[in-house]
Amino acid sequence: MPRDVSTPKELGALRQDLLDAAMRVLREQGALHLTLRRVADAAGTSTMGIYTCFGGRAGLLEEIYRNGFRILHESMTRSLNGHADPQARIMAVAYGYREFALSDPALYALMFERPLPDFDPSPEQRHDALGLTFTLLTEATSAATEAGLIRSMDPVRAAYLVWTTIHGIVSIELTCSFRSPLPGWFLNTREEGERVLADGVKALLAGLT
């Protein structure tokens, strides 16, 4: 049933409840089940609340997208944990990225893949979202460049190369994690997946020295 949202506090609470409900539906049932009815039911309210808070399904999906990058930022920041060495910071970002992807695969897919053909974040939304997380990697590659640990005329370009390596390795591991283990293959354990990520990023960094 509809909830009273006559005050900004009540509207904010409803908005958060709906976002939390949408995250539960996404994680438990998958992106294809992110319908207005399912989210409203999970939040214990009516679909009208989604229109009131987000303007409709598109607005709700955009907020889930933004929230995903906030969570990714938290994971990467937590992994950094005060590392001062530039290369250690780059590796920490990689590990935080991987931890997020493996712990929240449905959200990761919504952010970086196209599980919903009708959801395509605008360039502005993608710019803002990537700025929240990519900046952490750019800062690390800039520090590595200044310390002479890598050679790059453009630290942002170097960060992009590092990110593509991280993203590619992590995405392949994530794909393999949904299938039966393949004995003897590189990604047959979580520990081996982490080693492959470290090897890949370190190999790229070595190529930039």
Side-chain angles (χ1 to χ4, degrees):
M1 62 182 296
R3 281 167 52 176
D4 183 10
V5 289
S6 57
T7 68
K9 183 177 180 180
E10 291 167 339
L11 182 62
L14 176 59
R15 183 181 177 87
Q16 187 61 53
D17 287 348
L18 285 166
L19 176 59
D20 292 342
M23 298 294 287
R24 288 197 302 274
V25 171
L26 173 63
R27 288 163 173 160
E28 295 170 6
Q29 302 179 45
L32 293 177
H33 295 280
L34 279 171
T35 65
L36 297 186
R37 173 52 58 196
R38 280 192 173 92
V39 172
D41 288 347
T45 187
S46 69
T47 57
M48 183 56 65
I50 298 176
Y51 287 100
T52 300
C53 294
F54 302 102
R57 182 171 174 271
L60 175 62
L61 293 175
E62 289 169 2
E63 185 57 31
I64 296 171
Y65 178 81
R66 284 190 290 267
N67 191 50
F69 278 92
R70 288 193 288 266
I71 296 172
L72 174 57
H73 179 270
E74 291 170 2
S75 178
M76 294 163 67
T77 301
R78 187 168 55 249
S79 183
L80 280 166
N81 194 28
H83 285 294
D85 177 74
Q87 289 196 19
R89 287 168 61 188
I90 292 171
M91 291 309 307
V93 168
Y95 292 140
Y97 192 94
R98 175 178 180 268
E99 179 183 350
F100 165 77
L102 295 181
S103 64
D104 216 334
L107 181 56
Y108 179 87
L110 184 70
M111 293 159 59
F112 295 109
E113 300 171 7
R114 290 291 299 272
L116 297 173
D118 62 339
F119 175 59
D120 184 20
S122 69
E124 293 77 18
Q125 290 164 347
R126 296 201 306 273
H127 182 273
D128 292 344
L130 288 172
L132 186 62
T133 51
F134 188 67
T135 299
L136 296 176
L137 189 55
T138 302
E139 290 171 350
T141 56
S142 296
T145 301
E146 292 171 4
L149 300 175
I150 63 174
R151 296 178 186 173
S152 176
M153 296 296 293
D154 184 357
V156 176
R157 184 180 179 85
Y160 176 76
L161 293 174
V162 174
W163 175 69
T164 58
T165 301
I166 296 169
H167 182 76
I169 293 174
V170 168
S171 294
I172 291 173
E173 181 181 4
L174 194 58
T175 298
C176 291
S177 71
F178 290 115
R179 298 172 179 168
S180 300
L182 188 61
W185 183 243
F186 297 109
L187 302 174
N188 56 358
T189 66
R190 285 290 180 94
E191 293 75 18
E192 192 60 29
E194 183 172 310
R195 283 193 290 270
V196 168
L197 175 63
D199 289 346
V201 174
K202 288 176 182 177
L204 175 64
L205 294 177
L208 293 173
T209 58

